[in-house]
Amino acid sequence: MEPTRFDLSGKTALVTGAGRGIGRACALALAANGANVSLTARTTSQLEEVKAEIEKMGRRAIVVPADVTKRAEVQNVVDRTLSELGGLDILVNNAGIYTMKPLVQDPTWTSGYSKFVPNFDTPFTEEDWDALMDINVKGVFLFTQAVGPHMMAQRKGKIINISSIDAEHGLKYAAAYCATKGAVKAFTKGLAREWVRYNINVNCVGPGYTETPLFPWVYDDPERSKIAAKNNVPMGRFAKPEEIATPVIYLASDLSDYVTGESIYIDGGVLA
């Protein structure tokens, strides 16, 4: 990726869920624009691949595997970022999961989704709810709280939370997922007002339909993908992860210093 005019030279960024999809694209884009990057996720092998690409650009990167729902592991990521990369200026809360199934199963009704969506016909459980809330919401809270003291002390920082267009509109068979992304948006707005006194900007980027490993039942099938894009996206195609990374770079840069508490939706016109 060619560097843009968003100069992040001398900055250090931490990206959660950095091993694949949007997180990977964000990590590479941050590095391409001059930042050193701390990479975290649960799969070490994927993180090592991203680290190698970043180092080819001449930037520094570290790999710190972690479960975003575990406070001790989250704190270890932040501590190692500060000690090994010498600072922390940008946090991208990207890690997330997606579950697609009816909240209550109706035995009298059959959906075509059951043919290709894993576990679509299984009951939506309390464990499903907890997993979505823990990773999509608690993970954002834990990492934000962990970086807070450092950013407050240096009186500057950029926090970018990856939300979703589903924070704004309903998506059938994904009510719980919508709830998590709505929570991330509300958390962002509240914290933006709370931390503005420390010159910390807190914003959201909300992807629309994007080609990521979260939705293999759509994107791994070219014909299904083509039909879904035509039916759901005015632009007639899905976003590439790199297209979601572009506004993240803007929000991480000094050019967004007057932007806080906002949500930028990258959706090909879905919310228009």
Side-chain angles (χ1 to χ4, degrees):
M1 177 179 290
E2 292 295 322
T4 69
R5 65 190 185 95
F6 302 123
D7 184 11
L8 302 178
S9 300
K11 305 288 188 181
T12 297
L14 193 168
V15 182
T16 73
R20 60 182 189 167
I22 292 171
R24 176 182 182 277
C26 288
L28 294 175
L30 287 160
N33 286 276
N36 297 320
V37 190
S38 175
L39 308 165
T40 189
R42 289 181 292 188
T43 306
T44 303
S45 59
Q46 293 176 342
L47 296 175
E48 291 290 352
E49 291 173 2
V50 179
K51 178 176 183 282
E53 291 193 49
I54 290 173
E55 290 177 338
K56 287 179 183 178
M57 301 178 196
R59 313 300 178 201
R60 296 178 63 200
I62 63 170
V63 167
V64 192
D67 181 338
V68 301
T69 71
K70 306 297 184 183
R71 180 179 293 277
E73 295 185 27
V74 168
Q75 191 62 55
N76 179 58
V77 176
V78 174
D79 290 345
R80 283 192 55 189
T81 301
L82 292 170
S83 64
E84 297 180 36
L85 294 180
L88 181 51
D89 307 285
I90 302 155
L91 169 65
V92 181
N93 281 312
N94 165 76
I97 61 171
Y98 178 82
T99 297
M100 185 178 189
K101 63 172 73 171
L103 196 68
V104 176
Q105 294 287 344
D106 181 354
T108 69
W109 183 79
T110 302
S111 167
Y113 288 100
S114 60
K115 298 178 182 178
F116 54 86
V117 178
N119 303 314
F120 186 84
D121 290 331
T122 62
F124 189 93
T125 65
E126 185 176 351
E127 289 73 24
D128 289 327
W129 174 271
D130 288 345
L132 282 162
M133 286 293 173
D134 280 353
I135 295 175
N136 294 4
V137 184
K138 183 180 178 182
V140 172
F141 154 67
L142 288 177
F143 264 98
T144 303
Q145 191 177 57
V147 305
H150 172 75
M151 289 186 174
M152 291 161 73
Q154 71 184 9
R155 303 196 72 81
K156 190 170 181 64
K158 302 283 189 173
I159 298 173
I160 302 110
N161 299 321
I162 305 301
S163 179
S164 168
I165 60 170
D166 299 320
E168 296 290 342
H169 77 153
L171 183 65
K172 64 182 180 181
Y173 315 128
Y177 175 79
C178 293
T180 67
K181 294 306 183 178
V184 169
K185 178 183 177 180
F187 177 79
T188 298
K189 294 176 78 68
L191 193 65
R193 294 182 68 92
E194 184 174 336
W195 284 2
V196 69
R197 73 189 70 180
Y198 304 106
N199 200 30
I200 299 171
N201 301 74
V202 189
N203 290 289
C204 271
V205 169
Y209 296 89
T210 307
E211 296 179 4
T212 76
L214 282 181
F215 311 100
W217 56 87
V218 175
Y219 303 123
D220 288 353
D221 184 314
E223 186 59 30
R224 187 178 295 133
S225 178
K226 182 178 178 180
I227 293 170
K230 181 179 179 181
N231 290 341
N232 293 286
V233 184
M235 283 191 177
R237 68 174 180 85
F238 298 126
K240 301 291 185 184
E242 293 76 14
E243 293 176 297
I244 310 304
T246 300
V248 171
I249 301 308
Y250 162 68
L251 291 173
S253 76
D254 293 343
L255 294 178
S256 68
D257 281 354
Y258 199 61
V259 180
T260 198
E262 297 296 337
S263 294
I264 300 176
Y265 294 104
I266 314 300
D267 65 357
V270 173
L271 294 179

